[in-house]
Amino acid sequence: MTKKITSTATHLALAGLAGELSFEAYAWLISPSLFGVQLEPANLIIGLTRIASGVQVPYAAAFAVHVLIGVFGFAATVWAVKRLSGVGHAAAGLGAGVLLWFVAQGILAPAMGRSFMMGFGAYTQSSFVGHVGMALFIGLVWQWLARARSNVPETA
């Protein structure tokens, strides 16, 4: 059982890293062409930290925190949705993506003083694509890794 837990955690971490890399590529390279906005969620970390503690976090540190949240937090959310709902990997990714998008735009952005869902403008729409796409990708990579592992014969 420990081996299965370890492989699941490893698969989730690798899927989270793949998802985070895909999100950053989308946020910096694709979103500006599609929606006219560059997604910079590190600014959300900066604003929330300033409001909560009065500390001005440097952009690089906020970016690093967001990457860690993306790699581990998003993967954990996909896992939790799958575990709690019993749906497949892709459906868990879609559900987790919608949930995380709502948290970012519907709860955290207003906590910084922005309007609910930031008025459903281009940034919010692009954020939807980014969050749902990232979490879906995490689910699919996790599924691929799990299937690849199950096809490998056990060694003594």
Side-chain angles (χ1 to χ4, degrees):
M1 184 65 165
T2 302
K3 196 172 197 178
K4 180 165 177 38
I5 292 170
T6 302
S7 66
T8 299
T10 302
H11 293 164
L12 281 167
L14 290 170
L17 179 60
E20 177 60 30
L21 292 172
S22 72
F23 176 84
E24 295 303 333
Y26 169 77
W28 293 88
L29 304 173
I30 299 168
S31 177
S33 297
L34 290 178
F35 292 95
V37 295
Q38 184 173 306
L39 299 179
E40 294 188 68
N43 289 329
L44 184 61
I45 303 288
I46 292 168
L48 290 172
T49 303
R50 185 176 46 244
I51 289 168
S53 68
V55 174
Q56 179 67 30
V57 177
Y59 187 87
F63 185 84
V65 168
H66 187 267
V67 166
L68 290 172
I69 291 169
V71 172
F72 298 107
F74 272 54
T77 304
V78 173
W79 175 85
V81 169
K82 183 173 180 355
R83 178 90 173 159
L84 294 171
S85 68
V87 299
H89 292 84
L94 289 172
V98 171
L99 173 68
L100 292 164
W101 168 71
F102 181 81
V103 168
Q105 299 298 316
I107 298 171
L108 298 178
M112 280 184 39
R114 300 206 173 135
S115 63
F116 176 74
M117 300 304 275
M118 293 175 58
F120 290 97
Y123 194 94
T124 301
Q125 294 170 38
S126 180
S127 175
F128 178 83
V129 172
H131 282 87
V132 173
M134 177 182 175
L136 173 60
F137 193 60
I138 289 170
L140 293 173
V141 170
W142 176 25
Q143 179 180 39
W144 178 78
L145 290 168
R147 284 185 178 164
R149 169 111 174 117
S150 68
N151 291 330
V152 174
E154 294 271 338
T155 57

